Amino acid sequence: MYFKFLLTFLTLFSITTVNSQNTGVLKGVIITEQGQPIMGANVHIKSLSIGTTSNEKGEFILKKIANNSYTVEVSYLGYNTVSKKVVVNNSETIQNFILKESSYMLEGVVITSQKREQKNKDVPIAITSYGTEFIENQGTFEYDALSEYVPGFQVQIQSVNNPGIVIRGITSDSGDSRVEPRVSIFQDGVSISKSRGSVVELYDIERIEVLKGPQGTLFGRGAQIGAMHIIQNKAKNETSGAVKVGYGNYNQILTTGYFNAPVVEDKLFFRAAAIYNKRDGFIKNLSGGDLNGKETAAFRTSFKYLINDDTTLDLIANWQKDTPPGTSFKSGTYAPLGGDTNPNTFADLERGEELGLDRTVWGVTGILKHELNDIWDVTSTTAYRKFNSDEAFDADGTVAPALFFHEISKGKQFSQEVRFNFDTDDKFRGFFGANFFYEDGSQEVPWELDERSFAMLILNPAAFVLNGIPTLLPNIPNDPAAFGAIAGAPLSSYNKERNTNFGKNYSGDIFADASYDVTDKLSFTVGLRATWEDINAAYQVEDAATPSNLGYLTGNYPNILFATTNGEKIEASESFLSAVGRFAVNYDINNNITLFGTAARGRRPNVISVTATETNILSDETVLSYEIGAKSLFLNNRLQFDMNAYMYAYSNFQTTITKFENGKLVSTPEDSGNASSFGFEAAAQYAFTKSSSFFANYGYIDASFDDKDSNGNEQVLAGNTFRLTPKHSFSIGFNINPKINENLEFFFRPTYTHKSKVFFEETNLPNISQDGYGILNYRVGLTINKTYELGFYMNNALNKQYIIDAGNTGGAFGIPTFIAGAPRFFGAQLKVKFYI
């Protein structure tokens, strides 16, 4: 149905194609001041949304251009951008360009976070932006690696199915289909925020922007405390490509690249990009296989269709398949046979090679843009997305057959947004529009066990595993005084039960955001988004395959863990109306320094918590944010320095705590009351030569639960620090590129990142934490004729041992598990790129 919709969508707009009879050709040569041709320079006519690149002789040509006057922009890295007015007529128009060598333009200077192209310095939001060059220079393909370079941003990835994404202390990681994330992840303007489908490989990326603070006006209902926007490279009017291959330790194999070409001259363009990234696990599993590895294959194809002079259509399709081995949830209580409880050494998790993930994510996005006139344009974004994942994991972290789980998550979504943008080129600019969003998902958790082993865990945990060997209890102890009528009852060697939660939501938004220049130096921005939500939640428990005698002990008979719903689906629904907004002010002290301040309200939607015994509607979680900062750009865009300070006040802060109590495993969202945070961030970039640069950033966060809730009651978590939130973090790095001769360049790119102690749970238990540590990475190599690149990399060069998570499901049973961080990775990579 959705493919038919998109095909119809494309066909209808194809009919509107206009073939002008009065067209001409624009051609020319692009050279340096010294008369040398420039290959790969970008030639762009913005009003027509067309462009090309110069060939090896510096020549360019644009055909079938309607007779008119245009502004032609020519740009090339390391040279000043040149714009000229050119009149195209029926004959051949020749316009040559001479580019003057300039100071290096830092990446991240230009952003589109406010849905229009602006300099970062002029946007009243704390933003970190990295472009293609930085991402490729660091060899970054995953969120967690990127987050090390963004102050106030932390990402923990147990597996691509289970990420923890943190902005300024607020974590978004729940896999419950009924719970909305606090941090929004967007891909080309489309939300991909649901936890189990949100991790995508970062390849052939144009830019990534991380926005901090409530961004509901710009990015919708899930951006309570911030958003990350991934902007992928689209098809262009050029023939170009690149291929990178690599090999590293732990049998790491990398192949990635792209190809871009016109299909119909100056009308229809095509781009395809792909990646395959595989690495064996670095934790050996005695029961078979390895753990904490990677295997991802992803493919993207996109088309750009120039429908007429004012209308363009981008169609992008993404597909990703993840099949890594299992995650090493290693017990910190019971050592494997011949080993120890160190998370960084070998483990012995039951089921061996059965552990692992099988996840597929795919989606299609259509972006239609039409320029109404010089002031107004309209953008329609239509998208459909689907994910399906099955992750098998051993929650007790031992060879004992007690807590073997699957998590089977499914989700699909459809979204449609229409946005009108305006810019008077005078004092007033902004956008308004509407959005519809539909999602339908589920999270199924089957549990398989040997009842004889699980009985030992709950009745005699000291003997659960002895010397690496699980202890099995064949019968409930024959003690009528303690166990009544079931004393001595037999326990089976295999049983299975499962629970499933369901979430189906509809939402509609209307939004508006505008900026007004009061004077040449002072401007105000106001934004508002109103949202209607229809939230539907459900819960279902299937009875155990065989009624269990242990169920009499836990009170869940015929089940053991999951209180039965007698196989029925318990459903609840509710509708909500809400609004969020922002007010911001910008003040230009001079051409180099801008001050900004913001006040905003963020919101996380209400949660309908359905269990076998009760249904609760949790209040929507809200935050009031206040921030001030300064942004600067000096030395002809060679030096960028930003700093900001913020305060947040949260109400109805929700946490999900998993615990085993009264014989039941309970994992439901809870309202933990009030919380607050304040912090400071600073970031700097400096290009000390045209090809060499330096960056550094620092973040300080003090985020904790308040002593009392809004009713004056003492809070259980009072004073506790938010999970996954280091108080101090910083990173520093260099990109050093000395030229050996005209054809050969050397590069050296070291980075160092550090974060202070983090707790992995809101309970702040000292053993469920990681002390502060630092990681050193570097890349070194040669570039030949700007076409070939041969490099060597080493990540975690000092082989620092650390953990990325602790507690987990095992912690609910009093036997926490621990996940090791990555050891030293190293390897070599070869890259080849071309332009035609």
Side-chain angles (χ1 to χ4, degrees), residues 627-702:
E627 183 166 1
I628 58 172
K631 299 183 179 184
S632 64
L633 205 55
F634 295 99
L635 304 177
N636 193 21
N637 298 328
R638 289 177 59 192
L639 174 63
Q640 181 182 33
F641 182 77
D642 302 339
M643 59 188 303
N644 54 77
Y646 58 87
M647 293 180 60
Y648 296 149
Y650 300 91
S651 299
N652 307 317
F653 193 85
Q654 301 164 8
T655 59
T656 300
I657 300 175
T658 301
K659 52 195 173 184
F660 183 71
E661 60 181 17
N662 300 322
K664 297 179 177 64
L665 183 65
V666 180
S667 181
T668 56
E670 297 182 2
D671 184 344
S672 293
N674 294 342
S676 58
S677 71
F678 65 92
F680 169 83
E681 297 166 353
Q685 294 185 79
Y686 176 58
F688 47 88
T689 70
K690 188 180 75 170
S691 59
S692 298
S693 60
F694 158 84
F695 77 88
N697 61 61
Y698 168 78
Y700 170 81
I701 305 174
D702 187 349

Side-chain angles (χ1 to χ4, degrees), residues 240-261:
S240 61
V243 175
K244 177 186 284 188
V245 295
Y247 183 80
N249 62 335
Y250 296 98
N251 292 316
Q252 195 248 357
I253 298 172
L254 171 69
T255 303
T256 185
Y258 79 91
F259 177 73
N260 189 105

Side-chain angles (χ1 to χ4, degrees), residues 750-819:
T751 62
Y752 181 79
T753 63
H754 182 273
K755 60 182 69 175
S756 61
K757 182 174 183 176
V758 296
F759 292 102
F760 295 112
E761 293 181 350
E762 278 88 358
T763 52
N764 284 190
L765 298 174
N767 62 320
I768 311 297
S769 65
Q770 167 64 54
D771 290 335
Y773 66 94
I775 297 293
L776 173 66
N777 303 328
Y778 70 84
R779 305 176 73 85
V780 61
L782 297 171
T783 302
I784 304 168
N785 292 327
K786 299 186 182 298
T787 301
Y788 304 95
E789 180 181 291
L790 177 63
F792 174 83
Y793 70 90
M794 183 172 286
N795 296 336
N796 193 5
L798 303 179
N799 205 26
K800 174 67 179 178
Q801 290 193 353
Y802 60 100
I803 60 174
I804 63 169
D805 202 9
N808 306 301
T809 303
F813 294 89
I815 51 169
T817 57
F818 300 80
I819 304 175

Side-chain angles (χ1 to χ4, degrees), residues 307-459:
I307 297 173
N308 55 44
D309 292 348
D310 300 316
T311 311
T312 63
L313 174 67
D314 283 288
L315 190 64
I316 310 118
N318 282 281
W319 175 88
Q320 180 167 322
K321 180 78 168 181
D322 300 282
T323 52
T327 300
S328 179
F329 293 100
K330 185 176 178 181
S331 175
T333 307
Y334 310 103
L337 183 64
D340 55 37
T341 57
N342 184 340
N344 303 96
T345 60
F346 69 84
D348 193 2
L349 276 57
E350 69 159 317
R351 303 294 185 101
E353 294 185 0
E354 288 186 43
L355 300 172
L357 169 66
D358 187 347
R359 186 187 78 142
T360 303
V361 182
W362 65 269
V364 180
T365 301
I367 304 173
L368 179 69
K369 184 173 182 179
H370 177 70
E371 291 193 10
L372 301 170
N373 51 44
D374 291 340
I375 296 175
W376 287 89
D377 66 70
V378 59
T379 300
S380 172
T381 303
T382 308
Y384 178 75
R385 195 166 188 271
K386 190 173 184 178
F387 67 86
N388 191 326
S389 68
D390 183 350
E391 183 167 20
F393 62 98
D394 180 12
D396 58 71
T398 75
V399 72
L403 294 175
F404 178 77
F405 289 91
H406 278 259
E407 182 193 341
I408 303 171
S409 295
K410 299 178 182 179
K412 59 183 178 181
Q413 67 180 58
F414 173 79
S415 61
Q416 173 63 59
E417 179 177 283
V418 177
R419 181 187 302 266
F420 291 87
N421 307 281
F422 63 92
D423 190 340
T424 64
D425 285 329
D426 186 9
K427 293 186 175 184
F428 195 39
R429 58 204 169 273
F431 61 85
F432 63 87
N435 174 276
F436 171 78
F437 187 82
Y438 161 78
E439 61 183 351
D440 186 3
S442 64
Q443 182 193 42
E444 178 186 341
V445 183
W447 173 44
E448 299 178 37
L449 74 154
D450 184 327
E451 293 181 6
R452 301 169 301 173
S453 179
F454 185 73
M456 287 299 301
L457 176 61
I458 61 175
L459 296 176

Side-chain angles (χ1 to χ4, degrees), residues 531-535 574-578 603 606 608 617:
T531 301
W532 165 83
E533 296 162 310
D534 179 30
I535 298 178
E574 188 68 61
S575 296
F576 303 94
L577 291 173
S578 63
R603 173 183 177 270
N606 301 71
I608 301 178
I617 298 179

